[in-house]
């Protein structure tokens, strides 16, 4: 076996700081070399070229980066590896340029930085470490009347650090925007190992360059995010969900424009009839095939949500919908309607 002298020295120096939270074990590395796409392969010489490091705070991240800099080795920050393109499953075919460009590297996994340090209902902010999963944050907020609205479909697994680094957004993006709109401040470690704190914890934060927003979407190229101050928002009191199926797109669109007049839907999902046909057959759903719209709208109370659904259903039918299904977020069928999506 050919021993890479540089990676051996990197491993020794990292071990003297992180102890057993450094690994060259092919199984450990293999698990961290894949991403959520199905296009990865694991090179045979993985443990000759890569080291896995799992720091637990900004100071340790700084040490890892300094050691990497000293030996000219790249650092790849990694959250939950759900990114599907050019991401932290950096040794995969999807990121083929990295496998060919990088001779060797340190995979810096943020899994041990996963504390929710503060939830302030007064200031409506949460201060979290990068390894916290988006769903875990919302679970922690369940006792409050606040929530964190950015909802990538991978929220159950996606880390806050990864979501910031990819500028993630989800179905509720039309109303709430993307990660860029919800990060008030950051702590990050730059390529020289220096720790920076940017932004603030208030909505009005206007002095100087907006480094915080520059970091959002930077995909780990400008530094490793080690802490984030996130804005929180009042959870909607109730949600009305409508599914409406039309024979033609024009009628559906006209109905949608009518709904949108004077309000912003939480979610507006359209599925074309041929795609709907495939989905219905694959999932064995008992709903008719057509151009399909699913809408979520906020309401001030359960009663208001039910009233809104009656109006929406009538308007949809008047506009030509030949099938509708409705539910509020208190109903069991609420999630069932969304199975279609
Ligand atoms: C089923 C599925 C559904 C998805 N749905 C959506 C969706 O609806 N919307 C959407 O936007 N995306 C979606 N994605 C893509 C992905 O889940 C998101 O981009 C997610 O936010 C990435 O988070 P992660 O923790 O998995 O990051 P990773 O995949 O680990 O990393 C992503 C990138 O961020 C960098 N990075 C990670 N942590 C840090 C850090 N602490 N500091 C600096 N850089 C860092 C990595 O180096 C990499 O470049 C989906 C993925 C899957 C598999």
């Amino acid at each position: 076996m050919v021993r890479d002298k540089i990676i051996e020295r990197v491993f020794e120096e990292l071990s003297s700081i992180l102890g057993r939270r450094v690994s060259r074990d092919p199984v450990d590395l293999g698990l961290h070399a894949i991403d959520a796409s199905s296009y990865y392969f694991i090179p045979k010489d993985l443990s000759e070229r890569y080291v896995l490091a799992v720091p637990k705070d900004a100071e340790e991240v700084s040490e890892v980066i300094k050691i990497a800099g000293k030996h000219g080795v790249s650092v790849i920050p990694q959250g939950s590896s759900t990114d599907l393109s050019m991401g932290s499953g950096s040794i995969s075919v999807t990121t083929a340029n990295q496998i060919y460009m990088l001779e060797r590297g340190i995979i810096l996994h943020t899994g041990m930085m996963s504390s929710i340090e503060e939830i302030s209902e007064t200031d409506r902010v949460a201060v979290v470490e990068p390894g916290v999963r988006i769903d875990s944050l919302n679970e922690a907020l369940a006792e409050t009347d606040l929530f964190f609205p950015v909802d990538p479909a991978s929220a159950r697994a996606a880390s806050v650090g990864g979501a910031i680094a990819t500028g993630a957004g989800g179905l509720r993006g039309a109303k709430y925007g993307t990660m860029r709109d919800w990060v008030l401040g950051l702590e990050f470690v730059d390529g020289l190992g220096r720790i920076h704190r940017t932004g603030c914890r208030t909505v009005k934060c206007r002095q100087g360059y907006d480094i915080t927003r520059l970091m959002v979407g930077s995909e780990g190229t400008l530094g490793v995010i080690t802490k984030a101050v996130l804005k929180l928002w009042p959870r909607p009191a109730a949600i009305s969900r409508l599914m409406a199926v039309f024979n033609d797109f024009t009628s559906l669109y006209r109905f949608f424009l009518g709904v949108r007049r004077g309000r912003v839907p939480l979610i507006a999902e359209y599925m074309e009839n041929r795609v709907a046909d495939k989905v219905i057959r694959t999932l064995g759903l008992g709903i008719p095939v057509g151009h399909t719209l699913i809408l979520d709208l906020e309401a001030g109370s359960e009663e208001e949500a039910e009233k809104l659904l009656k109006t929406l259903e009538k308007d949809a039918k008047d506009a030509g919908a030949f099938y509708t299904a409705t539910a509020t977020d208190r109903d069991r069928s609420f999630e069932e309607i969304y199975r279609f999506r």
Side-chain angles (χ1 to χ4, degrees):
M1 194 192 300
V2 186
R3 286 274 175 203
D4 182 312
K5 292 263 181 310
I6 293 179
I7 216 73
E8 276 194 0
R9 278 203 293 277
V10 167
F11 177 73
E12 277 162 24
E13 289 181 31
L14 286 177
S15 299
S16 72
I17 293 162
L18 303 183
R20 291 170 64 84
R21 285 178 285 117
V22 182
S23 176
R24 290 184 75 190
D25 184 292
V27 176
D28 287 347
L29 282 164
L31 287 170
H32 286 269
I34 59 176
D35 61 23
S37 73
S38 46
Y39 302 111
Y40 55 81
F41 74 94
I42 300 175
K44 276 199 185 119
D45 61 349
L46 195 62
S47 59
E48 294 309 309
R49 295 162 52 201
Y50 284 88
V51 177
L52 171 69
V54 191
K56 57 178 170 43
D57 54 33
E59 284 68 29
E60 286 191 352
V61 170
S62 165
E63 291 304 322
V64 172
I65 290 177
K66 283 177 186 161
I67 291 170
K70 188 168 130 193
H71 295 286
V73 171
S74 302
V75 174
I76 304 135
Q78 183 179 62
S80 302
S81 264
T82 63
D83 196 0
L84 294 166
S85 55
M86 305 294 289
S88 67
S90 55
I91 313 161
S92 69
V93 171
T94 45
T95 56
N97 67 334
Q98 293 207 44
I99 186 172
Y100 294 117
M101 277 163 59
L102 293 185
E103 261 185 279
R104 44 182 87 84
I106 300 171
I107 300 173
L108 189 159
H109 182 52
T110 60
M112 281 205 70
M113 291 185 272
S114 54
S115 303
I116 297 175
E117 293 194 351
E118 184 193 348
I119 288 175
S120 167
E121 291 186 63
T122 319
D123 294 344
R124 289 187 174 166
V125 296
V127 182
V128 302
E129 290 190 315
V132 171
R133 294 171 182 205
I134 295 179
D135 270 7
S136 309
L137 174 59
N138 273 318
E139 279 158 24
L141 289 165
E143 298 300 306
T144 72
D145 63 351
L146 301 171
F147 81 129
F148 183 68
V150 183
D151 61 337
S154 53
R156 197 184 298 172
S159 70
V160 167
I164 294 172
T166 55
L171 291 173
R172 293 193 288 242
K175 174 135 193 165
Y176 292 116
T178 61
M179 220 56 198
R180 211 174 282 281
D181 305 298
W182 295 90
V183 185
L184 292 173
L186 286 175
E187 176 188 81
F188 72 93
V189 184
D190 71 14
L192 295 175
R194 297 173 301 194
I195 301 172
H196 301 271
R197 290 182 185 89
T198 68
C200 39
R201 53 182 285 150
T202 50
V203 174
K204 188 172 181 185
C205 183
R206 60 190 180 82
Q207 308 89 334
Y209 297 110
D210 196 348
I211 307 294
T212 306
R213 279 171 87 90
L214 182 67
M215 289 299 291
V216 181
S218 63
E219 303 251 354
T221 55
L222 299 178
V224 179
I225 295 157
T226 49
K227 205 171 287 183
V229 183
L230 302 175
K231 193 162 65 170
L232 304 175
W233 206 247
R235 195 178 311 110
I239 299 173
S240 309
R241 177 165 291 171
L242 167 85
M243 173 192 264
V245 187
F246 294 77
N247 275 321
D248 63 297
F249 174 73
T250 312
S251 306
L252 178 150
Y253 191 54
R254 213 171 282 139
F255 165 68
F256 170 68
L257 290 181
V259 172
R260 213 183 53 169
R261 204 166 295 134
R263 60 189 154 202
V264 183
L266 262 180
I267 292 175
E269 281 282 298
Y270 161 65
M271 201 178 284
E272 199 229 351
N273 57 348
R274 284 168 299 180
V275 182
D277 184 33
K278 286 221 165 62
V279 171
I280 288 166
R281 275 196 277 144
T282 308
L283 297 180
L285 301 175
I287 51 176
V289 175
H291 293 271
T292 306
L293 179 69
I294 300 178
L295 284 176
D296 272 12
L297 289 158
E298 272 184 38
S301 65
E302 177 68 4
E303 297 73 49
E304 198 186 296
E306 275 166 12
K307 221 167 119 192
L308 178 60
L309 280 177
K310 286 205 176 85
T311 314
L312 284 173
E313 197 171 24
K314 181 179 176 307
D315 290 351
K317 284 185 173 151
D318 289 349
F322 64 89
Y323 174 85
T324 55
T326 60
T328 72
D329 57 333
R330 307 280 197 285
D331 296 333
R332 260 203 220 141
S333 54
F334 189 73
E335 293 305 331
E336 191 54 32
I337 293 178
Y338 226 75
R339 257 193 82 209
F340 175 77
R341 164 64 168 66

